[in-house]
Each structure stands twice: as C-alpha cells, then as structure tokens.
Amino acid sequence: MVWFEIRKVFSRTSGKTALAVMAAVLAVTCWLAVSHIDYVEEDGDIVTGIRAVRMLRRDKEKWEGYVTEDVLRSVIRENAAINASDEARSENVKEQNKAYAQKQGFNDIRDMINRAFCSFQEYYYYRVDSVTEEEVGELYGQRVERLREWLYSEEVYDHYTEEERAFLIERYETLETPFYYADSDGWQAVLYYAQTIVMIGMIVCGFLVSSIFSGEFQTKADAVFFSSRYGRSRATAAKVKAGYLTVTALYWIMVLPYSAIVLAVTGTGGGNCAIQTSFEFGKSFYHITFFELWLLTVFGGYIGWLFILTLTMLVSALTRSSVLAVMVPFIILFLPSFVDGFSALSDMLGLWPDQLLNISLAVRLFNLYRVGGHVAGALPVVFTMYVCLYLVLPPALYLAYRRMK
Amino acid sequence: MEIKLTDLTKKYGDFTAVDSIDMTMREGVYGLLGVNGAGKTTLMRMLCTLLKPTSGSITCGGRDIFAMDASYRDLLGYLPQDFGFYPDFTVRDYLLYIAAIKGLRPAAAVKRAEKLIDRVGLSKAADKKMKKLSGGMKRRAGIAQAMLNDPKILILDEPTAGLDPNERIRFRNLLSELAQERMVLLSTHIVSDVEYIANEIWLMQEGRIVQCGMPEQVIASMPERVWICRTDRDHASKLMRRYKTSNVKTDAQGVELRLLASERPTEDAQPVPASLEDVFLYYFGEKAGDENGMV
C-alpha cells in the first residue's frame, strides 16, 4: 500500500516536474557553493572555484594550530609588514590586490582580531592595523569584555534580564581558548548554501506531499477508498507512512549529496574547529565546531521538513485542498518577513519553525528563553519543541483522515 | 445474510435527503429507481459507511454496520456514481492498489485482478493508463474494482450514467453475470437498466421509498391503466396536457400516444399492458421527464 501511495505521488506530471526541479536546485546550489570561494593570486588576479579552493587551502595550512598569543603577534607583525609594502601603499587596485594576496593565509585570524577589538555591534576591517603586539594578547579577554559592554549598553539593556546577561557572559567565558584554527572554508561553503537547498527543497516537496491526502477527494476516488476494508485503517496509515518516506527520502537525497559534493571539492578540514574562528559565526555563544554545526543544520532541516510538511499534509487532509496545503510552507517561510517589524513578536519568531531550516542564522542570534527556571539558547528549545510537536502530528493526521466523511 | 434499514433518516440542516426508510434486503438484485435528487446516492453512501445516518440504523446480520467497521466493508463492493480513479495508474495497477486496500494478499490480488480484467473485457487495455480509457471502459474498470473482494453486498450507484446504448447493454449483461449469489443494490434513473435484471424494485421519491416489490407487483400497484390511441396533432396536444404521456410517435397519418389514465381517454383508445417505464412516469410524473430524457 505504501508503495502504491508513493507511486501516486511520483506518477503524476507534477511529481516528475518536482523531481526535475529538485535535481536542478541540487546542481545549481552545489555549483554556487563551490564557486563561492575566491582567491587572489600573487599577480592580483581573482580566481574562483576548485583552483581557488586549493590555493587558499595551501596558504591557510601554514597557520593551522592553536591561536596563541605568539600566533596573534605573528599576524600583527606580518600584517604590518605587508601594509608597509609598496603594493599595499599603492593607489592601484591591482597592486593592492597583490598585497591582499599575501594576507589570505591569516585573513581569518586577522578577522578575529578585528572583531575582538571593535565594539560588539561593529566591524572595522582595518582595526587590526592599529592593534599592537602587546594588546593583541588580550584577544580572548576582549571578546568577553565587548559582549559585557554591549549587554549593559542602553541599546539592549531592557532586552535581557540579569540572569540572561550572566548566561551569555558565562557562555563566552567558558568557550575553550585558545581557539584551534584550521582552514574551514569547505564547511563554511556547505553551511552558507545549506539553507538555500533546504528551503527551496521543502517548498518543492510541499507540492508533492500536499496531494497525498487531498488527492483522493480531488480525483473523487475517496468513495472507493473509504468504503474498502482498510480504507479507514491501514490504507490511511499507508498514506501517513508514504508522506514520511517521501519527505525523508527527498530530504536526504538533496542534503547528503549536496554536502558530499561540496566537501569533496572544497575539503573537509577544519571540521573540529570552533565556529567562533570564522567571520560568520564569530560572535555565536554556542560551543560547537563546524562539523557539529553541520550536523545541527542537517538534522534541524530534517526536523523542520518533517514538521512543516506533515503540517502541510494535515491541512491537505482537513481541507481536502492541495492548493491550501501547499501554502503552508510558504506561510511558514515568509510570515516572519512580514511581521518582523512587530517587536512584540520577536520572541515568538525565534521559535518559528523556519529557524530549523536556517540553523546558521539561529546560531548567530542571541535569542534566549527560560525553560524550567533556566535560561537556554533558542537552538535546544527549538529542537526539543518541534521534535515533540512533530511526534503529535502523524497520529493527528491519521485520526483526522480516517474519520473523513 | 440480511441488511435491514430501520427508520433510516439523513438530514442536511432542514433538508431531509433520506426520510424514515424501513427496508430489508437479502440475496438478489434490487433496483433503486428515482429521479435525480430523490436521495438514492445518500442512501447508498450510508450503506457504504461513507455517511452516518442522522437517525435510524443499518444492520447486517443483526449487527450495526458502523460498529462492524472493517468487517462490514470486507463484505462490500461499491461503484460510486462519480467513479474516481488515479489517472496515472494503469488499469492493472489501479486494481492491484484497490485489492491491497481491500485486504487481498499480493499473490491473490494479482490472480483476481487478471481474472476480472478478462471478465470485464479490459485485457487489451490492462496496461493503459486509466485517464486514457473511454467512459465505458472506465465503468468496466469500476465494476472490476467493486468485485475484487468477491463482495457479498454489491452497491452500484448509477453505473450506466453517461454510457452509450451499446455500453449500457454490455454493462447490464455483465451485471447479470456478476449478480449471482450476492446482494446487489443498483441505483438508476434509467428504467431499462433494472427492468430485466432486478428481482425487486424500490421507487424512491423525496427521500422515501414510495413503492417496492417485484417488477410485476410494482407495475400492478399503479392505479391507472395504460392506453394507446391514434389522433391528429391538434388533439394530441390537448391529450398530452391532460394525461401523463409515456410515449409519442408521429407519422404521416397522425400521432400515436401512449397515455396513463383511469378511464379510456378517447373512444378508439386500446388498453395495453403497463411497463415499468409507465410506472416510473406515474410516480415521478413530469419531473422524471424534465430531468431524464432517457426514461
């Protein structure tokens, strides 16, 4: 029965079209992720793609290891030396590129210094140029100090309670230092486009699963279905299982090859580095590595797909309309953009299911919640909440559909 | 086995679709005749557990069919009026799927599907997609799915609607073969569909069974007689306004009318035996003619 239900989904022209769209999205996203990395060659020319990945990896490998005070001082010295070169002082962009080409190997560490020595909400690219070798040793302390300044600033003082401020500071203070640095561009490239593939894939998959339940009514096959022996029991359960299998298979068929292809091209190095070593996640208070963030991203996306698409199927079953059902993923994805201006809803939006599809964003946000008297970041709350909510949906879907008249 | 309808009523708001029906069915073919909107489909959907009655009950062998749930549906074969299917499935796949939800084991399902495909004359179309079939072929696929579980109770709602005369005759013959040793309820507004194969006729009007019995009994129940008379066109118009007219035949010599009347409508009118069509006209009157040109 499950096999027949899956065949119903994919035998339609819309099903085949959706599969073709998913394959195209996978191919384009892989290409975008790989070409996302660029490299400036010694002569100032910019290259992208596989060549850029290899060259950048070669440069960054020299800086692999713990980012100790000595390493930080070396960066300050090298940076200053390059800044003093004729290329760096030139007005010519190409000459400046040549200077930049020499900084690419330690550019990530350079960014760490910039962030630590700017105020919390600012980033000044040339801040490192004015940091002395003596000052730079305070980098890890500065990170915590900048956070503390920001938390007690007028800007956000009312937004956090004292307990929440203490929680965030504690998270910063207990982050293991010195950071271990390695080239993590491959993981960052995967993470950068993961949300694209997860979100577009979910919308396309929404078109497929939206008809699993309403299709019986649209094709007027419901009378035969429900008057059959197992119409209100096993056949309904088969629909729920077919929905689950379709969602699960398509998700992993999209996400795993995407990750494998991008990592195969860009490299898997740096997976064990804290995400705070990158520009993108430098301020995050979550103590996780790039590999762990990837795991959170793919499993978060999976839970998000399961929850949102099972909700889509529930709407399909209750309304008997694929059109209404297929709107569910759109509403969940785009509603936050419309209500973003309402500050009263900001806490709720931090728990909106779209967060699961965009874990890379969620780990950068300072959304905090009180759970059982304890302060917690949004991620564990969102994961726990939607796993629990998801577990309720399939039985609800089964019960709702088997009672259809 | 006996299906018993007791004070069976179905209301939609203020509208009563099925009104206090008390009937009993055993083995045999039951022809449910009535105009569109008489409540036939509602009654059949209740018999198929697709609708719950507002009041009253349906029992099978003394047990409520809704309480019997799957065990009752295991006895059931249903061809709905709006027979829907999965357009991208082939006939064979469609039957195998329905066999699965009817609880047939895969090996038995394959055998049964092949047997029925052959029996309904769809062997050459077995690998065609359902959406590519003609109306008649779809109906034959419909009767095949209804027969998959070898049902003891076969419910067919307007099975010949939309079919051309050849297909209707073919379908009727097929039904005669399949109807043996089971209880068949066949709803239609086309009298000829049931005239020769039904053991019992139920006439349904505004949610009620207004007449029932063997075809001869139903015909005998009509208080008016049937007359054939010849007249000119002007007089024919007057007679048609005055009496229920079941047939009009015009030729060069004038008009031959088949009229329902208690007394001889014209001096030269000759009494003829009544048919089921005459009864249908008598009970459903002008409404039958308005909504159904195929009576």
Side-chain angles (χ1 to χ4, degrees):
Chain A
M1 272 187 261
V2 176
W3 172 240
F4 279 113
E5 288 297 339
I6 291 172
R7 280 189 61 189
K8 274 192 221 170
V9 173
F10 292 105
S11 63
R12 288 194 299 266
T13 310
S14 58
K16 290 168 189 160
T17 309
L19 279 184
V21 170
M22 282 183 146
V25 169
L26 177 61
V28 170
T29 315
C30 285
W31 179 79
L32 285 173
V34 171
S35 60
H36 172 69
I37 298 170
D38 57 34
Y39 180 77
V40 180
E41 294 187 303
E42 280 178 18
D43 58 5
D45 288 338
I46 300 169
V47 292
T48 57
I50 297 172
R51 182 175 156 79
V53 169
R54 285 181 188 154
M55 306 280 272
L56 203 53
R57 194 185 303 152
R58 186 200 60 194
D59 285 8
K60 288 186 175 181
E61 271 172 0
K62 294 172 194 164
W63 294 91
E64 191 170 324
Y66 287 99
V67 186
T68 59
E69 284 186 33
D70 289 343
V71 173
L72 290 167
R73 287 191 187 106
S74 297
V75 168
I76 294 290
R77 276 197 300 275
E78 285 230 13
N79 184 60
I82 296 164
N83 284 349
S85 68
D86 291 340
E87 291 91 343
R89 296 157 76 100
S90 168
E91 296 283 306
N92 185 298
V93 175
K94 185 126 186 184
E95 290 301 309
Q96 287 176 356
N97 277 356
K98 286 179 187 172
Y100 174 77
Q102 298 171 59
K103 295 183 180 178
Q104 289 172 109
F106 60 84
N107 205 33
D108 294 331
I109 301 172
R110 192 180 177 281
D111 275 335
M112 278 184 228
I113 299 169
N114 280 332
R115 276 196 310 278
F117 288 89
C118 284
S119 63
F120 195 73
Q121 288 294 71
E122 288 175 354
Y123 176 81
Y124 179 46
Y125 182 77
Y126 297 105
R127 179 68 181 90
V128 64
D129 298 347
S130 57
V131 176
T132 65
E133 287 187 50
E134 289 71 37
E135 286 173 326
V136 79
E138 294 298 315
L139 182 137
Y140 298 110
Q142 283 289 318
R143 281 187 82 247
V144 181
E145 198 48 44
R146 297 300 184 209
L147 171 73
R148 188 176 279 118
E149 280 171 14
W150 177 67
L151 288 173
Y152 284 95
S153 69
E154 284 183 15
E155 186 188 350
V156 293
Y157 188 80
D158 294 336
H159 190 74
Y160 296 106
T161 63
E162 196 57 44
E163 204 177 351
E164 288 170 339
R165 278 189 281 271
F167 170 81
L168 288 172
I169 291 166
E170 186 268 341
R171 299 303 293 166
Y172 261 51
E173 284 176 337
T174 54
L175 186 63
E176 193 180 326
T177 56
F179 295 154
Y180 184 83
Y181 173 77
D183 172 26
S184 58
D185 284 347
W187 291 102
Q188 289 184 56
V190 166
L191 292 166
Y192 192 80
Y193 284 100
Q195 62 179 46
T196 307
I197 201 160
V198 167
M199 286 182 182
I200 297 177
M202 188 195 68
I203 286 173
V204 178
C205 194
F207 281 93
L208 289 170
V209 299
S210 63
S211 62
I212 291 179
F213 290 86
S214 58
E216 299 296 331
F217 299 100
Q218 282 158 2
T219 56
K220 295 180 178 174
D222 56 306
V224 171
F225 182 86
F226 287 117
S227 63
S228 298
R229 182 180 178 180
Y230 291 131
R232 294 187 189 275
S233 53
R234 291 186 199 176
T236 297
K239 282 184 179 291
V240 178
K241 285 178 199 164
Y244 169 77
L245 288 174
T246 303
V247 171
T248 299
L250 288 177
Y251 181 78
W252 294 111
I253 285 171
M254 290 280 278
V255 169
L256 289 182
Y258 161 75
S259 300
I261 291 166
V262 176
L263 287 173
V265 175
T266 58
T268 55
N272 58 338
C273 294
I275 58 170
Q276 284 77 7
T277 56
S278 70
F279 177 77
E280 195 84 0
F281 307 106
K283 291 179 192 166
S284 175
F285 64 85
Y286 292 98
H287 295 190
I288 50 176
T289 64
F290 283 105
F291 175 68
E292 288 164 345
L293 178 55
W294 176 80
L295 285 178
L296 285 174
T297 300
V298 295
F299 282 102
Y302 180 52
I303 294 165
W305 269 45
L306 283 178
F307 174 76
I308 295 167
L309 294 173
T310 309
L311 194 62
T312 300
M313 289 187 271
L314 184 61
V315 171
S316 159
L318 293 174
T319 64
R320 307 179 179 193
S321 164
S322 304
V323 177
L324 288 176
V326 88
M327 285 163 66
V328 171
F330 284 98
I331 291 170
I332 287 176
L333 285 186
F334 298 114
L335 189 72
S337 310
F338 291 107
V339 298
D340 205 24
F342 299 97
S343 57
L345 297 173
S346 64
D347 281 352
M348 190 202 80
L349 290 179
L351 298 176
W352 196 246
D354 70 323
Q355 297 290 306
L356 286 166
L357 309 179
N358 197 356
I359 295 291
S360 293
L361 174 67
V363 297
R364 295 202 303 266
L365 298 177
F366 283 65
N367 287 328
L368 301 176
Y369 299 90
R370 285 191 72 86
V371 181
H374 297 282
V375 177
L379 275 188
V381 177
V382 165
F383 268 80
T384 311
M385 188 169 86
Y386 285 105
V387 166
C388 294
L389 285 175
Y390 167 68
L391 291 175
V392 174
L393 282 180
L397 181 56
Y398 173 79
L399 291 173
Y401 198 67
R402 77 188 297 262
R403 286 175 187 163
M404 283 282 158
K405 299 272 190 308
Chain B
M1 192 176 55
E2 181 181 88
I3 296 278
K4 195 167 184 182
L5 318 181
T6 309
D7 195 25
L8 189 67
T9 301
K10 180 68 188 180
K11 290 184 178 181
Y12 297 101
D14 293 336
F15 176 71
T16 305
V18 171
D19 193 0
S20 306
I21 290 181
D22 289 287
M23 300 296 290
T24 302
M25 286 193 287
R26 295 182 186 86
E27 200 174 281
V29 178
Y30 292 79
L32 181 59
L33 276 173
V35 296
N36 294 331
K40 303 189 297 292
T41 297
T42 303
L43 174 61
M44 295 190 129
R45 287 177 71 84
M46 284 194 283
L47 279 165
C48 293
T49 69
L50 295 169
L51 282 178
K52 282 203 169 176
T54 308
S55 61
S57 67
I58 308 172
T59 56
C60 175
R63 294 176 65 201
D64 184 275
I65 63 167
F66 293 95
M68 286 173 76
D69 200 39
S71 61
Y72 170 73
R73 291 196 297 272
D74 196 26
L75 304 171
L76 192 67
Y78 177 43
L79 174 61
Q81 182 178 5
D82 263 341
F83 167 58
F85 47 83
Y86 311 105
D88 292 296
F89 272 19
T90 64
V91 175
R92 183 175 280 112
D93 286 343
Y94 171 71
L95 291 179
L96 290 175
Y97 172 62
I98 300 297
I101 63 174
K102 285 186 176 224
L104 272 73
R105 291 181 187 281
V110 170
K111 278 186 188 170
R112 184 76 181 149
E114 290 305 326
K115 190 177 173 185
L116 284 166
I117 284 171
D118 184 48
R119 195 154 182 195
V120 301
L122 285 175
S123 297
K124 287 181 183 171
D127 294 316
K128 266 190 179 179
K129 285 192 174 180
M130 291 289 288
K131 64 183 175 187
K132 304 270 184 191
L133 301 184
S134 67
M137 290 163 105
K138 282 174 190 163
R139 286 275 150 186
R140 278 186 267 153
I143 191 79
Q145 67 77 22
M147 292 297 299
L148 275 166
N149 54 331
D150 195 13
K152 295 286 172 282
I153 305 160
L154 184 60
I155 295 180
L156 308 169
D157 193 359
E158 302 274 4
T160 58
L163 298 188
D164 62 35
N166 282 343
E167 282 287 1
R168 277 173 55 201
I169 292 165
R170 186 175 180 159
F171 196 90
R172 210 159 53 209
N173 293 340
L174 175 66
L175 194 61
S176 290
E177 286 176 39
L178 299 174
Q180 291 162 15
E181 293 176 8
R182 59 185 104 236
M183 183 188 299
V184 181
L185 180 61
L186 168 65
S187 123
T188 184
H189 58 267
I190 302 168
V191 176
S192 57
D193 282 349
V194 291
E195 196 161 21
Y196 304 108
I197 59 170
N199 306 103
E200 190 170 322
I201 302 286
W202 294 1
L203 296 184
M204 193 169 187
Q205 191 175 35
E206 294 177 355
R208 289 177 167 272
I209 303 295
V210 293
Q211 193 59 250
C212 68
M214 289 189 291
E216 310 86 68
Q217 290 174 319
V218 172
I219 290 168
S221 73
M222 186 171 67
E224 294 191 343
R225 296 179 69 185
V226 183
W227 307 87
I228 285 188
C229 60
R230 291 198 66 84
T231 183
D232 59 58
R233 288 182 188 189
D234 287 344
H235 193 213
S237 300
K238 286 177 190 166
L239 289 170
M240 286 167 69
R241 278 197 294 275
R242 190 169 169 191
Y243 300 105
K244 286 173 179 169
T245 310
S246 69
N247 197 37
V248 182
K249 197 162 90 182
T250 306
D251 55 30
Q253 283 74 46
V255 182
E256 186 183 276
L257 296 174
R258 186 181 173 96
L259 302 171
L260 271 60
S262 304
E263 293 176 0
R264 192 183 295 270
T266 61
E267 280 187 11
D268 64 337
Q270 296 297 314
V272 292
S275 71
L276 210 51
E277 283 190 3
D278 299 317
V279 177
F280 193 90
L281 177 71
Y282 172 77
Y283 282 105
F284 304 124
E286 295 305 312
K287 199 178 173 187
D290 287 347
E291 295 194 1
N292 174 26
M294 297 171 78
V295 174

